[in-house]
Amino acid sequence: MGRTLVLGLGGTVDYEVRWDARVIGSLAARFGIRRRELTTTAPIVDERSLVVTILAFVVDGAGGERFVASSDVVKRFADRFTTEITLGGTGVRAGIALDRLGIPSVQHLVSMDDHVRRLMPPSISWVSSAAEDTLDPHLIVQYPAGTVIRFDDGEIVSPSSNRLIFANDPPNRRMAISPELGEALTDAGAFLVSGFNTMQDEILLERRLTDLDAALVQLPADALLYYEDAGFYVRRFARRIWAHLLPRIDVYGMNEDELQEYVDRPVDLLDASDVAAALLAVQRLIPVPALLVHTQHWAIAVGPAAARHRTALTSAVQMAATRFRLGDAFTAADFEATALLPRSARGEDVVAGVERKIAGSVGVPAFRIDTAMPTTIGLGDSFVGGFLVVHAPVREPQP
């Protein structure tokens, strides 16, 4: 407690496009896309297949992350929109959220370029495995609830807002571990591990996990290890992670998309019985001290050590809600103001129901926030940053 926060394993440069339903609709018409061909599972090999995938997510109001055959597809699509360049990756966005509260962190990065040097907050230092500068941007598409896309054969309307990520990022696929990581961990109070989900070479993954095992020898025994699932490109690779890290993981986090992938069925997030059944099923699959699922309605932790994380869970939900309503441009005062907002009544019902059904579980309902311009990008990352606030270095009072 109260020592350095080390966050990893890979950062990204994100191209955040400003949603424009007219541009999307014109692309659908130009490419002759029909509603019946919408799918989230087909390979994304060109701009047409990218638009097909985006529309398939929009029709369900779902979020997700997908691999693209070439970064050129990402760049070409982004050029059609007003685009903001930001920094991403779970560790980096968590660190940016912590920075807004004046909390420093150390990042482990696998790629580097001038955008990273320019945009990284001064409170964040880093170790990096990058041997040279590279730029392989991640496309971030954020769409609002009620957006309408018209086709030649009809239209679709999104039932909710969500975010999508598309990328071809060789440094993050390689996920080289810096030899400096072990030294950075020697004084860590908490270590965030995320990013292995983008790897696609099983032999290389095993090597990286072995490298991480070696670095973890220097992590203090009482330090918190938080693992964020983040949605595997190759689902079976998760078991490789578990074989190496489950004995050391204290908190294993995921969102509702990943929860539903693990149980292999839709989960009614507003039905306490259905949620409890899904949580128990994943807990049996991933037996960690605290399994944590965060959604737009609630965040709930189950497992033998779940109860000790109630304060961190409260802070995490508060941080995600602050980003949802204000984006990155928030202050410590804004963070505190969020705590005064009303809670989701339906989220409260689910939390109460799950806490009755699963002994030792703890939950926090989401806030009820009405905003015309919500930020759905990076909410899970900000959630993780909020969770780690309680493990932050103790700051000396200013004279």
Side-chain angles (χ1 to χ4, degrees), residues 347-368:
E348 288 178 328
D349 290 343
V350 172
V351 166
V354 171
E355 288 184 341
R356 285 194 303 269
K357 293 172 183 296
I358 303 177
S361 63
V362 296
V364 176
F367 290 92
R368 190 171 73 247

Side-chain angles (χ1 to χ4, degrees), residues 235 238-239 242 246 252 254 258-259 261-264 278-288 291:
R235 175 50 58 188
R239 295 188 178 276
W242 303 341
L246 279 190
Y252 192 113
M254 67 181 68
E258 291 123 34
L259 172 73
E261 285 186 15
Y262 280 122
V263 299
D264 197 26
L279 290 170
L280 289 172
V282 178
Q283 185 188 16
R284 288 191 292 270
L285 186 66
I286 311 173
V288 289
L291 176 75

Side-chain angles (χ1 to χ4, degrees), residues 303-328:
R308 73 179 61 167
H309 299 295
R310 184 181 290 277
T311 300
L313 200 60
T314 300
S315 174
V317 171
Q318 187 173 331
M319 183 71 83
T322 304
R323 178 172 173 79
F324 179 83
R325 67 189 187 92
L326 297 172
D328 273 333

Side-chain angles (χ1 to χ4, degrees), residues 42-169:
I44 301 173
V45 298
D46 54 20
E47 199 173 4
R48 185 185 193 280
S49 51
L50 173 61
V51 175
V52 166
T53 304
I54 290 171
L55 294 174
F57 277 110
V58 169
V59 75
D60 292 329
E65 184 168 348
R66 293 293 185 268
F67 176 74
V68 180
S70 168
S71 290
D72 290 339
V73 175
V74 166
K75 295 173 184 176
R76 191 159 52 248
F77 182 85
D79 283 345
R80 301 183 185 278
F81 299 83
T82 300
T83 300
E84 181 181 5
I85 299 175
T86 63
L87 299 184
T90 297
V92 172
R93 285 200 187 276
I96 291 172
L98 289 163
D99 171 76
R100 298 299 182 261
L101 304 188
I103 298 171
S105 62
V106 178
Q107 297 285 335
H108 178 281
L109 302 176
V110 297
S111 59
M112 182 60 58
D113 78 321
D114 286 340
H115 292 306
V116 176
R117 298 184 186 95
R118 174 175 60 88
L119 296 173
M120 195 74 82
S123 73
I124 298 178
S125 58
W126 62 76
V127 298
S128 175
S129 62
E132 60 184 3
D133 280 18
T134 56
L135 176 59
D136 294 283
H138 290 216
L139 174 69
I140 313 294
V141 178
Q142 177 179 242
Y143 62 86
T147 191
V148 179
I149 308 295
R150 292 181 172 84
F151 299 77
D152 289 342
D153 64 342
E155 67 179 28
I156 62 173
V157 182
S158 63
S160 61
S161 60
N162 221 314
R163 68 94 181 97
L164 308 169
I165 303 173
F166 302 94
N168 184 323
D169 189 338

